[in-house]
């Protein structure tokens, strides 16, 4: 890892882009027999290859990611994670989801770059319907929310970080859509709601898109509960 870091951020980004290209375009024949949790469905050999490759690369990615501080570099790294989640089946990539959660939270705390929030939304999109992942995803959004709100204490802070506002509330919106029963009762939900209300005062289209999407999902969920006669938020 030290050799990659010593070579400079441009070299690191080039290596990340090369790995992304391998993930996206390498064709692995499905005739290769795949055992274990991957099954034998079409594309599972490719999924197993990606999981094996990312498992081997993970320590290096964890190390070099701490040296990525600008938006474009972080975006390249999160693009890699996006394609891994997109190409692999949810079950195939599940052994790495805990590592990915820790990776995103740690790096977001270090850099405060919004692509990590976008990558977290991708995780919710893929695993939000899996009850066994609900707690992990809720802990992830609570950690990301706490980090964010520590830096968003005034209207000036909100104005200076519209991309963070946009992606943070798209993440909240995704959680309301996918696993509201685990997110809404948690202590971090109220700060999300309060910040969204304040964020509506921002004169920024993209930031407003995020807060509006979040608030719309919250109200829609509340109306659904009310229509079902369940005003306490207990889906059971």
């Amino acid at each position: 890892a030290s050799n990659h870091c010593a070579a400079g951020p441009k070299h690191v980004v080039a290596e990340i882009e090369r790995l992304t290209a391998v993930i996206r375009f390498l064709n692995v024949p499905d005739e290769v027999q795949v055992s274990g949790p991957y099954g034998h469905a079409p594309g599972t050999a490719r999924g197993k290859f990606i999981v094996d490759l990312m498992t081997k690369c993970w320590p290096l990615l964890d190390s070099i990611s701490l040296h990525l501080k600008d938006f474009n570099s972080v975006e390249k790294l999160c693009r890699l994670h996006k394609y891994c989640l997109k190409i692999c089946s949810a079950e195939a990539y599940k052994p790495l989801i805990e590592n990915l959660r820790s990776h995103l939270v740690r790096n977001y705390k270090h850099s405060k770059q919004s692509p990590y929030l976008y990558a977290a939304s991708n995780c919710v999109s893929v695993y939000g319907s899996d009850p066994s992942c609900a707690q992990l995803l809720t802990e992830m959004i609570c950690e990301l929310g706490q980090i964010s709100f520590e830096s968003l204490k005034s209207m000036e802070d909100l104005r200076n970080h519209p991309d963070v506002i946009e992606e943070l509330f798209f993440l909240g919106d995704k959680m309301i859509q996918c696993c509201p029963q685990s997110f809404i009762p948690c202590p971090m939900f109220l700060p999300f709601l309060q910040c969204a209300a304040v964020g509506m005062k921002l004169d920024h289209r993209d930031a407003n898109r995020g807060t509006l999407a979040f608030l719309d999902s919250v109200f829609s969920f509340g109306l659904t509960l009310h229509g079902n006669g369940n005003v306490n938020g207990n889906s059971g």
Side-chain angles (χ1 to χ4, degrees):
S2 59
N3 291 335
H4 283 78
C5 296
K10 288 186 178 180
H11 179 78
V12 170
V13 170
E15 293 300 320
I16 291 173
E17 289 184 310
R18 185 173 289 111
L19 181 58
T20 302
V22 170
I23 298 296
R24 290 184 66 188
F25 300 115
L26 185 66
N27 187 20
V28 180
D30 283 326
E31 298 79 49
V32 176
Q33 291 297 305
V34 181
S35 59
Y38 309 106
H40 298 281
T44 52
R46 186 184 183 192
K48 183 182 185 304
F49 171 83
I50 291 172
V51 171
D52 290 345
L53 177 62
M54 290 298 291
T55 300
K56 292 177 182 177
C57 291
W58 205 272
L60 180 59
L61 285 173
D62 247 357
S63 177
I64 64 177
S65 63
L66 287 174
H67 298 268
L68 304 178
K69 298 180 181 180
D70 66 282
F71 180 91
N72 290 333
S73 299
V74 171
E75 189 175 42
K76 299 291 187 185
L77 176 63
C78 292
R79 188 167 173 261
L80 167 65
H81 294 309
K82 179 185 78 171
Y83 281 111
C84 289
L85 288 167
K86 181 179 179 180
I87 293 170
C88 288
S89 69
E91 189 62 32
Y93 210 70
K94 196 171 181 178
L96 290 177
I97 188 62
E98 178 63 53
N99 286 344
L100 182 54
R101 167 266 183 104
S102 300
H103 175 86
L104 296 178
V105 171
R106 185 201 65 173
N107 291 340
Y108 180 63
K109 184 176 183 179
H110 180 71
S111 71
K112 304 295 194 303
Q113 293 291 347
S114 60
Y116 289 121
L117 300 173
Y118 174 76
S121 292
N122 288 333
C123 292
V124 178
S125 295
V126 173
Y127 293 101
S129 60
D130 185 342
S132 68
C133 293
Q135 184 63 32
L136 180 146
L137 296 175
T138 301
E139 291 172 356
M140 178 180 70
I141 192 173
C142 288
E143 290 169 324
L144 294 172
Q146 182 175 356
I147 294 166
S148 299
F149 296 139
E150 287 174 355
S151 302
L152 301 172
K153 296 181 177 179
S154 68
M155 281 300 297
E156 188 65 21
D157 292 334
L158 270 64
R159 291 190 192 99
N160 291 336
H161 302 93
D163 59 319
V164 170
I165 296 298
E166 178 187 17
E167 295 299 348
L168 180 65
F169 285 102
F170 276 137
L171 171 59
D173 171 48
K174 191 68 67 174
M175 284 292 292
I176 295 295
Q177 293 182 32
C178 296
C179 40
Q181 283 80 14
S182 61
F183 177 41
I184 290 177
C186 80
M188 190 53 61
F189 176 71
L190 182 57
F192 262 84
L193 201 57
Q194 293 171 330
C195 188
V198 175
M200 287 301 300
K201 300 178 182 178
L202 285 176
D203 185 18
H204 193 285
R205 183 180 64 180
D206 292 338
N208 292 153
R209 285 176 60 235
T211 53
L212 273 172
F214 173 73
L215 291 172
D216 182 65
S217 288
V218 170
F219 293 141
S220 296
F221 180 72
L223 289 172
T224 300
L225 290 179
H226 183 74
N228 292 337
N230 186 356
V231 296
N232 294 319
N234 184 352
S235 64

